[in-house]
Amino acid sequence: VQVQAQQGVNAVYQAAHAAWESAWGTSSIAQEKNNIYGWTAYDSCPGSCAATFDSFADCVETVIPQIRDLYLEPDGTYYTSDGPTLRGMNRNYATDPDWAEGIASVMNSLADHLSLADTGYDYDDRVETTADLSVREGPGLGYSRIAVTGTGDAGYVRDGPVSADGY
């Protein structure tokens, strides 16, 4: 959550990405190198090329800003026309064609178990989109797009005020 506040990258996404890449922290790369994002664990040399971190927290604090800058910012090296989405990241982050769907499923699973009672927001029932849906930093088209959900994506709709930072 602290990294979300500092970097503007959703904490549920961070947790889901870590869970997916590290088999919930049990993979050898996670256990031996504290690398929960599979950072630099290339297909040709996953174990030997994977970056090593001092702790899981160090991994989060180091990798998330790089993911933001490389994959989620319009001027990032690996930013795609899909925008700052899992689908866009999947094009360059992972060779697994189901990577984005896997992380999205973990995100939805985590959301099903999060206590949203103390957030100051009301959440409606889970919904499924019937067309691509842009999620923006604030109400209206004048705000920057922070994500795009694809047709058939599922999630929760927040009913309430948008905070100053858009989350």
Side-chain angles (χ1 to χ4, degrees), residues 4-29:
Q4 173 181 293
Q6 294 168 342
Q7 303 299 327
V9 178
N10 182 279
V12 176
Y13 152 75
Q14 292 177 51
H17 185 164
W20 185 258
E21 285 286 348
S22 70
W24 294 89
T26 65
S27 73
S28 61
I29 292 171

Side-chain angles (χ1 to χ4, degrees), residues 41-90:
Y42 306 114
D43 288 350
S44 61
C45 55
S48 61
C49 291
T52 300
F53 301 94
D54 292 335
S55 64
F56 289 162
D58 179 42
C59 181
V60 174
E61 292 166 358
T62 302
V63 173
I64 293 302
Q66 293 183 68
I67 287 174
R68 184 204 61 220
D69 292 346
L70 294 169
Y71 295 89
L72 305 177
E73 295 291 339
D75 61 346
T77 303
Y78 303 111
Y79 187 86
T80 70
S81 60
D82 287 317
T85 65
L86 289 172
R87 185 180 310 125
M89 280 186 70
N90 198 160

